[in-house]
Amino acid sequence: MNKFFSNRRLVIVIVCLIVSFGLMSVSVAIRNKRSTPPLIQQFGNDVVGLVNRVVAWPVNGVKAQ
């Protein structure tokens, strides 16, 4: 287990995935509530879109090769 945590990149990727899934869940939960102000929903959507672009950029680079 100690060797797993020594690989910082892997830990960072896993944390980013967990955070992005959490943000997507919050965005869906906010969208389903009609009483939530649109500003909060827009912020959540912007954050999820940013994470999506950050994750898609290296994936598309690997896919093109």
Side-chain angles (χ1 to χ4, degrees):
M1 195 70 167
N2 195 14
K3 185 177 180 182
F4 175 77
F5 287 112
S6 67
N7 191 352
R8 290 181 119 176
R9 267 191 226 169
L10 181 60
V11 172
I12 290 171
V13 168
I14 290 173
V15 168
C16 288
L17 287 173
I18 291 170
V19 168
S20 66
F21 284 129
L23 288 173
M24 286 188 281
S25 299
V26 168
S27 178
V28 169
I30 289 173
R31 185 188 67 199
N32 290 336
K33 291 183 180 180
R34 299 290 182 212
S35 63
T36 305
L39 180 64
I40 295 173
Q41 182 179 2
Q42 184 63 38
F43 176 74
N45 290 342
D46 290 343
V47 170
V48 170
L50 177 66
V51 171
N52 183 27
R53 278 184 260 143
V54 168
V55 171
W57 182 71
V59 171
N60 289 336
V62 170
K63 187 172 74 172
Q65 292 179 356

